[in-house]
Structure formats: structure tokens, C-alpha cells
Amino acid sequence: MSFFTEPLAFEFFRRALLAATLVGGLTGLVGVFVVLRRMSYIGHGMSHAVFGGAVVGYVAGINFYVAAGIWGFISALLINQTTRRQQIAADAAIGIVTTASFAVGVAIISRARSITQNFDAALFGNLLAVTETDLLVIAAVFTFTIIVVFFSYKQLLFLTFDPDVAPVYGVRAGWLDSLFALVLAATIIASIRIMGVTLIAASLVIPPVIARLVTDRFAYMLFVSTGLGALLGFFGLFMSYEFDIASGASIVLLSAAAFAAVLAVVLIREWTRTGRLSIGNRSIGSAEREAMLD
Amino acid sequence: MDDIIELRGLAAGYGATPVISGVDFRVQPGEFVGIVGPSGSGKTTLLRTLLGAVRIMGGSAHVDGKVVGRGSRPSVGYVPQLETIDWNFPVTVEEVVLMGRAMDSGIWPWPRKADRRQMMELLERLGIAAFRHTHIRNLSGGQQQRVFLARALIRSPRLLLLDEPTSGVDIKTRDDVLHLLVDLNRDGVTVLLSTHEINAVAAHLPRVLCINHGVIADGPPRDVFTPETLKRTYGGDMVVVHQNGLTLVADTPHIFDLEGRVLEHRHVSEDAAVR
């Protein structure tokens, strides 16, 4: 029991535990849309872009959230404009804009080695770095995201499932895309202290993929992914303390183990049912229609 | 009676170059029209232009009395090509059908009772009520087509646009889908569909539009499906056969000898009508 009771004696841990649970739930919720809209690479890229802004803000003495927020928003606009002109593919545009932004941060750190230590937390997550302000920001972003998803649920579902047709039925795709980009940027910025720049993408992807393995319904997937993300954040933080490893790394490792376990259960169940090692229609990232082509 | 679709000198497309141009086309309420043409000829572009999803570069387009592309939303149901659907997406039949009411059923995330009741009526009419909680991938091709038809119909549209609704399904399913559309048309819904199935159009539809970046011919299949028109539309020779009231279009045949060697690839330049 000391695995659970010992760290709870510390205030910094209780604060970090709440933050990690909220961040896990938040990334699990937002991640459903990220994964189903094939935006995993954007999530990965945006987290790196935000790092550049965080470093510039630190050097210039600007509040972390303000600097990272403005930088992230500008990066998102640049990606959007580059891809909208259709001269450069979306993944290439993301690669250029976000790695250039990340490189700005690395270049500044290289010039001023004294600040390297402060950015370890931003890169890999550090439960010691969580402040009351961070907790408030995470809670505010989570609340905002829940409100957006709740009141835009039907439109978001339609736009995510059928982005070509949804606007034809009156769904305001441009407005919703911008709103979602804002939610994604806010989620990444709010999660950086716990997850770290390099590991946020995994927390956006793994819970929704596990949720997809266990449900065929979009609404259930939202609940399962959010709950699972929160649980993985909660237990991942205890692991972080117990094994003295970065919080982002422990949460991602626990998530990966959970994914492997659920995948194994699904595969065994399918094998006993059909005699084939398959996850049936529960894959993500493939839109082929074998059934139609039979 | 006012036209439900009225296109005058329409040019539309993506980027700088129009995909279709000089399109003059009118459809009256209650008509059932098929659009045929080769791949890339602008069938989908024409349908999507009517929906306001493609930039109009010249001429004008009116749908259901409203100018297309000025923020108005005419009463149109749209069924996209099923090849564009992500069949692994976690949605059930009822979730897909209720998407058709996404903008008209209030701010709450759950459907209204009236929408749910209308959905059930539609699913029963289309014969897929038993599958309402089924994942969309676990359906046959015909059932999948009906799901997206239901999504379009739940808006109670006056005009139904379908992009290749018979693509990729077997001949029985194709026949079922077309008979279903004929029934809907009899109930007063104007239907406009694009397809590669020339013979299905000839068998089921009273009017056909041949396009290849512009209108080549427009009228009853028996008048439109001539070797000359088809050559102008598709750029190749085809055989047209009229028999027992049916119009049938066939590829130019290869003639084989008993050993299976090609003796002749028959090109037909004139109407090879067989009566």
C-alpha cells in the first residue's frame, strides 16, 4: 500500500496527481477527434512548435502560457495557410513549420546553456514542476473542451466522420475546424508540464486507440477514452514517483502496456470466435472496403 | 411549374480551371434524371456544385428557387460515393442516419424524440430497422447504401442527389437500390444521380444527361444512347441494341475463333439497332 500512500503525503505530489489525472482525461477526450480525423501528426508537430514559443517566452521574460499560446496559434495558422494553398502537402507543411519552431527553441538553449535544466520538464514532463497556476489552466482547458464537445457533439461527429458532406448539410466546417485547432493547441499547452513536449502525442493517441478496440460507438469511445486517459494519468504518476522517472515517460509506458494488454485480449477473443487473429473493423487509419469488393 | 434545378451557362471547378463549363440544364420537380459520362468528366463536380460545395466560375445555378453559393441551404439530400466512407469509423446505423439532422435538432448532444421517431420510420421503410444498433461495416453493400439514403431522406428533401449509388454493388443490389429510388421518386422526390451504369440508367430512368466537361446530350435514354452520342461522350465506339423495349449499350466486342484467338475487334460507327 505504500506505493499509493507514501507519495500522497506530499503536497506537490497530490497537486501533480490531480494535474496528471485531468491531463489524461483531457488528452483522452481530445485525442478521439485527433485520431479519427487522422491528425496525430499535427498533435505531435504542434507540441514541438509550442516548445519554441516556450523558450522564446522564457528568454524574453513572458508568461509561459502567453508565449506558448501565441506561438502555437501562429504555427497553426501557418500550417493552415500552407496546406490551404495546396502547393505543399499537409504533412510536409507540418514538418517544416513545427520542426523549424522546435529548432528555434533548441538554438536558443544551445546559445544559453544555463537554461537547459529548466526545459527538461518541458521536454519530458516533471511532476515537481506543476504549480497551482498549471492546475487552474488544466482545469479551465478541460472545462472549455467539455463544453465545446457537449454543445457541438452532433456537428463534430458529422464533420469527423464525413468532412466532405457535413458542410453540405450546413455544418460550419471552417468555424468548427478553427475551434478544434484552438482546443488542440490549448490541450497541448496545458499538458506540457506533465507529459512533456516529446510525449504528448502518445497521450493523445493511445487512449482513443484502446477505446476503439473495445467499442463500436462514437459516444462510448469518448467516455472510454476520457476515463482511460484519466486512469492512466493517475496510475502513471504513482509509477513516476515509485521508479523515479519522468512523469510523461511513465504515463506513456503504462499506456503502451495497457494497449498491448487490451489488444491481446481482443485478438484472443477474435481468434476463439472466428479462428483468425484479427481486430475486425476496429482498426484506425484504414478506409478500405473489403466487404464491398468481395 | 418552376424548375427545381436551373443551370445557365454554368462553369465550375477547383483551382483556376473549370471542370465543367457551358452547362445549361433544367430539372422540373418530380423528375428522375441520370448523369453519365467517363471518369473525370465532371459528374461529381456537377452534383457538388448544386450543393454549393464547388466554386462557380461562370453562369448561374439555382436549386429549389435559391441561388447556389450564397449561404442559402436548399432542401437537398445528398448521398456521396460510398468509396469515400471510412468504414472503420465507430458509428452505428442510427448514428449515421441522425447526422442528417445534425443542424436541425437543437443544441443538446442527444437526438430529439421526433428525430428518433422519424429515423425509425425511415429505417423501417428502407428495411434496415433491425440493424439500427449495428456498426456500419457489418452490413451488406445494399444495406450500407440504404443507411446513407436514410441520412439524406431524414431531412425530408425535395431533391435527392446521389453520387454513383450503384457503384461496387452486385447486380441484385443495384436493381434493389434503383427500384427504391423509383419508389421515392413516385412519392414526389426529385432524383438526380450520377452513375457509370449506362444500362441501368436505360432500364430504370426516364431521362439521362451525357456529360464530358459540358453537356453532350439530354433526353430519354432511347434517344440519347446512340453510338454517335456515346462516342462524343466517351471517345470510343459502342454498340447500341434496342430489343423488346430495352436499350442496351455494349463495348465493341472482340470476336474469337474456336481456339480463343481474336479474329476481329468490331468498331461500330453507326447505330447497330436490332429490333
Side-chain angles (χ1 to χ4, degrees):
Chain A
M1 282 301 288
S2 66
F3 176 82
F4 290 109
T5 54
E6 186 189 312
L8 285 174
F10 302 104
E11 189 191 344
F12 81 88
F13 185 84
R14 291 197 299 272
R15 193 164 54 225
L17 183 65
L18 185 55
T21 307
L22 288 174
V23 161
L26 173 62
T27 51
L29 176 60
V30 175
V32 170
F33 297 96
V34 169
V35 166
L36 292 176
R37 298 178 88 179
R38 315 271 198 272
M39 290 172 68
S40 304
Y41 191 53
I42 292 181
H44 187 73
M46 281 288 291
S47 60
H48 283 69
V50 163
F51 177 74
V55 176
V56 169
Y58 182 82
V59 171
I62 303 169
N63 177 277
F64 165 78
Y65 290 110
V66 174
I70 292 171
W71 199 277
F73 185 64
I74 291 171
S75 299
L77 283 181
L78 277 172
I79 292 167
N80 204 25
Q81 283 301 312
T82 313
T83 53
R84 190 168 283 182
R85 289 168 194 277
Q86 297 182 344
Q87 303 289 326
I88 299 173
D91 55 350
I94 295 162
I96 294 165
V97 172
T98 60
T99 49
S101 181
F102 186 70
V104 168
V106 173
I108 293 172
I109 288 174
S110 305
R111 291 280 296 169
R113 293 189 182 280
S114 61
I115 61 172
T116 305
Q117 192 68 30
N118 295 321
F119 284 95
D120 281 355
L123 282 173
F124 307 113
N126 183 355
L127 57 90
L128 291 170
V130 179
T131 64
E132 291 285 344
T133 308
D134 296 330
L135 208 50
L136 284 174
V137 169
I138 294 166
V141 172
F142 201 177
T143 306
F144 175 67
T145 303
I146 288 171
I147 290 170
V148 167
V149 172
F150 188 85
F151 288 110
S152 310
Y153 174 80
K154 285 180 280 197
Q155 293 93 320
L156 273 173
L157 169 60
F158 199 172
L159 190 63
T160 306
F161 174 62
D162 207 343
D164 282 341
V165 176
V168 167
Y169 281 67
V171 174
R172 288 176 293 173
W175 188 84
L176 270 180
D177 282 342
S178 301
L179 185 62
F180 184 72
L182 183 69
V183 165
L184 180 59
T187 298
I188 287 167
I189 291 164
S191 308
I192 276 186
R193 300 264 203 226
I194 288 291
M195 294 308 302
V197 166
T198 52
L199 299 167
I200 284 177
S203 69
L204 282 167
V205 170
I206 297 176
V209 171
I210 296 175
R212 181 67 191 95
L213 286 172
V214 299
T215 182
D216 270 344
R217 298 194 68 142
F218 182 76
Y220 294 170
M221 188 175 166
L222 284 178
F223 282 113
V224 171
S225 182
T226 306
L228 192 64
L231 282 175
L232 291 168
F234 182 86
F235 289 108
L237 207 75
F238 279 101
M239 276 179 53
S240 169
Y241 179 87
E242 179 70 20
F243 301 113
D244 195 20
I245 50 178
S247 51
S250 66
I251 292 169
V252 170
L253 285 173
L254 184 64
S255 303
F259 168 72
V262 173
L263 180 65
V265 169
V266 170
L267 284 173
I268 290 167
R269 197 177 56 190
E270 279 296 304
W271 185 68
T272 52
R273 207 165 59 89
T274 66
R276 290 195 315 166
L277 275 176
S278 155
I279 56 170
N281 64 339
R282 287 171 175 173
S283 64
I284 286 178
S286 154
E288 76 277 15
R289 302 189 56 210
E290 298 94 326
M292 286 283 289
L293 300 174
D294 278 348
Chain B
M1 196 182 293
D2 289 341
D3 294 323
I4 196 163
I5 297 174
E6 183 185 358
L7 309 180
R8 289 173 184 264
L10 179 78
Y14 316 90
T17 314
V19 177
I20 49 174
S21 56
V23 175
D24 291 301
F25 177 52
R26 288 161 180 263
V27 175
Q28 290 228 316
E31 281 201 89
F32 191 166
V33 186
I35 305 171
V36 299
S39 298
S41 60
K43 298 188 295 294
T44 298
T45 301
L46 178 56
L47 291 180
R48 291 181 61 79
T49 302
L50 297 174
L51 297 162
V54 177
R55 192 161 68 91
I56 293 177
M57 300 170 173
S60 65
H62 289 76
V63 173
D64 202 11
K66 293 172 180 161
V67 180
V68 174
R70 293 214 184 139
S72 59
R73 264 203 298 150
S75 173
V76 179
Y78 177 58
V79 180
Q81 289 184 34
L82 294 193
E83 281 76 5
T84 63
I85 302 299
D86 177 0
W87 296 99
N88 292 325
F89 196 97
V91 277
T92 59
V93 167
E94 71 171 6
E95 283 175 314
V96 171
V97 175
L98 287 167
M99 284 178 196
R101 301 287 299 165
M103 294 305 293
D104 311 300
S105 58
I107 59 167
W108 305 114
W110 45 83
R112 293 184 304 194
K113 273 186 184 170
D115 295 329
R116 203 173 271 282
R117 192 168 53 244
Q118 194 183 354
M119 175 200 71
M120 279 312 296
E121 286 169 8
L122 265 174
L123 293 184
E124 274 164 19
R125 181 178 178 192
L126 298 176
I128 49 174
F131 305 106
R132 58 181 289 209
H133 297 306
T134 305
H135 186 270
I136 53 168
R137 186 170 173 141
N138 300 331
L139 300 169
S140 69
Q143 289 163 346
Q144 288 172 335
Q145 191 67 58
R146 284 160 196 258
V147 172
F148 286 87
L149 197 53
R151 185 179 74 176
L153 292 173
I154 201 168
R155 303 179 79 196
S156 305
R158 293 184 67 217
L159 173 64
L160 189 58
L161 306 179
L162 304 101
D163 197 357
E164 299 190 18
T166 53
S167 157
V169 296
D170 60 65
I171 191 165
K172 168 72 168 63
T173 304
R174 185 182 74 193
D175 197 56
D176 288 348
V177 169
L178 286 169
H179 274 103
L180 183 62
L181 293 176
V182 169
D183 288 346
L184 288 169
N185 179 242
R186 283 195 188 123
D187 291 345
V189 179
T190 308
V191 182
L192 181 63
L193 63 84
S194 72
T195 182
H196 285 291
E197 311 273 358
I198 297 177
N199 288 321
V201 168
H204 293 274
L205 275 63
R207 182 180 168 193
V208 61
L209 183 75
C210 288
I211 68 167
N212 194 346
H213 303 292
V215 176
I216 305 290
D218 181 5
R222 191 178 177 84
D223 298 341
V224 166
F225 288 152
T226 64
E228 293 78 22
T229 305
L230 293 170
K231 181 158 190 166
R232 284 173 59 208
T233 306
Y234 290 94
D237 294 314
M238 293 182 195
V239 179
V240 179
V241 178
H242 299 286
Q243 192 162 29
N244 299 332
L246 287 173
T247 300
L248 297 169
V249 179
D251 302 345
T252 52
H254 284 92
I255 309 298
F256 300 94
D257 65 11
L258 292 174
E259 276 76 45
R261 290 184 297 252
V262 176
L263 288 177
E264 183 188 353
H265 185 203
R266 182 180 293 169
H267 288 273
V268 180
S269 57
E270 295 181 4
D271 193 341
V274 177
R275 294 171 199 276

